[in-house]
Amino acid sequence: MCSKGPFLEEDIAQTNLGLDLLGQAEALLTYAAKLEDKGRTADDLVYKRPERDFYNFMLTEQPNTDFAFAVVRQYIMALYLDKVYETLSKVDDETLSGIASKALKEIDYHKSHLGMWVTRLGDGTQESHERVQTAFNELWMFVGELYEEDELDLKMQHSGYAISGDEMKSYLFSEISSSLAKATLSIPESVYMTTGSKKGIHTEYLGYLLTEMQYLQRAYPDANW
Amino acid sequence: MGAEKLEVLFQERIDANEKIEPRDYMPEEYRQHLIRQMSQHAHSEVIGMQPEGNWITRAPSLRAKKILLAKVQDEAGHGLYIYSATETLGVTRDELISRLHQGKAKYASIFNYPALTWADMGAIGWLVDGAAITNQVSLQKTSYGPYSRSMVKICKEESFHQRQGYEIIAAMAKGTSEQKEMAQDALNRFWWPSLMMFGPHDSDSPRTGNAMKWKIKRESNDVLRQRFIDKTVSQAELIGLTIPDPDLKWNEERGSYDFGEIDWDEFWSVVKGGGPCNLKRLNHHKKAHNDGAWVRKAAAAYAKKHLNK
Ligand SMILES: [Fe+2]
Ligand SMILES: [Fe+2]
Ligand SMILES: [Fe+2]
C-alpha cells in the first residue's frame, strides 16, 4: 500500500497499521524462538522457513486486488486478532499477556479505522458499494479457517489460551453482520470454506510473497545486514 | 497604497528578516516562485517514496523492514506538510498533482535513478537524505513562514533518515566481500547524482537572483554542495569506501575539498525526462492516483450523505 494509497493521509494511515502488525509479529516470533530454544531467532523464523512451515491463514496472503480487498481482508483479520489478543491479555504467561495487551490497543484502532472504511465504501457510491461487496464475496471462503479447530486449539482452549471455535464464529458473524448492515451490504451466501493453513496448506500467493521476502537471506546466507 | 510602494515595503520586511505570512502582501512573482519551488519539493518527497518503497518487501530483517517502512512513511508525511504549506498560497493539492501529471511541475531528478540492491537503501538514506538535509537546514531560514516552519518540522525527522541509511551501508561495508562490493557500487552510482541534487552552478542558475533577494533561498547551490561534500567524505573514509572522484582532494587553503566536474549533460538530460526511471515514477504516481479515484469519491459521497442527515 505504501506509495500506492488512494490519497496521502490514507497512505500514511495504512502504513501505520502495517507497522503495528510488523511489531506484533516481531514480538511474537521473538518469544516463539526463545520458547523453542533451538538457537533460532525471529528473523530465522521469518526468512528461513519454507512455505509448508508457514501456518498463517490463507486470508492474510490474499492480494491487494483493489483498496476494497485490502480493507476487507484487514478488517476481518482485525476482528479476529482483537478476540485473540483479548484472550491472551489475560493469561498467566506474562510475556504473552504483555505482548497481547499492547497489541490489543493497536488492534482496537485498526478495527475502527477499517470498519469506518467498510461503512464509507458500502454506503458511498454505487461503484464503491459494488467493489466492497465483491471483496466480501470473494474473500468469504477464507473466513471459515478463523474458527476451525485442531488438536492444538483444543489444548489451548483447555488452558484458557483460546476461546472455542463456536464462540469465535458467533463473535465474527455478529460483528460482521452488524457492520455490513450499517454499510448497506449483505453477508455473502455461505459457500465453500477453505481449510488447511494449520497444516501448512496455502493458496498460490504465499510462494511469491516468501520468494520476495526471503530473497536476500537465501541468496547471501552468510551475510549479516 | 500603490503597487510600487507595497513592493518596497515588502523588500524592507525581507531585508529585516521578517517572515512573510499567507495574508501578508507579497508580489505575484514571489508567490509564483514559492508555488513552483514548494510544490516541486512536495512532489519530490512523494515520488521519493518509490525507490525505497520498492525494497520494503525485500528488506533482509524484521528490524530493517520496520525502519524502512517508517522512513518511507515519514516522506509521505513530509509531502503532506509541504503540500499544506503550499496551499496557503492559494492553490489546491489537486491542482498541484495535476500539474505534476501533466509534466508541468518537476520533482528531484535523483529519484529517476533506479534502486538496484539493498546497498542502495543505504546510499539513498546516507547521501540523498544527507543532501536533502543540507538543503532543508538552510531552508529553515527561508522568508515564507509556512515553508520555514515545515522545514523545521521535517529536519527533526531527517537526521534519523540519514542515520538509518548510513547504518545499512556501514554494515554492508564491513560484511562479506559481496556486500562490500554492493556498498561500493551503490556509492559509485549515487555519488554524482547526489551532488547534482543541489542544482546547477550559481553562474548557470537563472532564478537564483530573485530567490536570494527575496530570501526564499538563503545560500547558493555551490555553497550547499560544498558543505555536503565536506561533511560526507570522512563518513565514507570511516567505513572504508572510496568516493568515485579522482579529483577529490583536501584543499588546505580553502579548508574544503576540491572535487571534479559534474557531468552537466547528464544532469540536464535527466531533468528533461531522460532518466532511466522518469516514466516509471510518474506512471506509478498516476496509477495510484487514478486507482484511488473511486475511493476518494466514495468518501466524499458518504460524507455528503451523512452531513445532510
Ligand atoms: Fe497504531
Ligand atoms: Fe523528506
Ligand atoms: Fe528523508
Side-chain angles (χ1 to χ4, degrees), chain A residues 6 9 26 212 217 224, chain B residues 57 60 66 93 179 296 305:
Chain A
E9 289 85 344
E26 189 181 28
E212 216 173 319
Q217 290 270 2
N224 285 309
Chain B
T57 54
K66 275 196 321 195
R93 203 200 303 178
Q179 284 178 301
R296 297 190 299 274
K305 275 187 221 176

Side-chain angles (χ1 to χ4, degrees), chain A residues 78-86 104 107-108 111 171:
Chain A
L79 293 176
Y80 168 82
L81 286 174
D82 196 46
K83 206 42 143 182
V84 169
Y85 287 137
E86 191 188 298
L104 193 56
I107 289 294
D108 268 339
K111 240 171 85 173
Y171 156 77

Side-chain angles (χ1 to χ4, degrees), chain B residues 41 44-45 71 74-76 78-79 82 129 132 136 154 157-158 161:
Chain B
H41 194 161
S44 302
E45 300 283 355
K71 195 263 185 194
D74 278 353
E75 306 300 4
H78 297 175
I82 307 173
D129 286 78
Q136 288 170 165
I154 285 172
E157 292 173 356
E158 287 292 356
H161 294 179

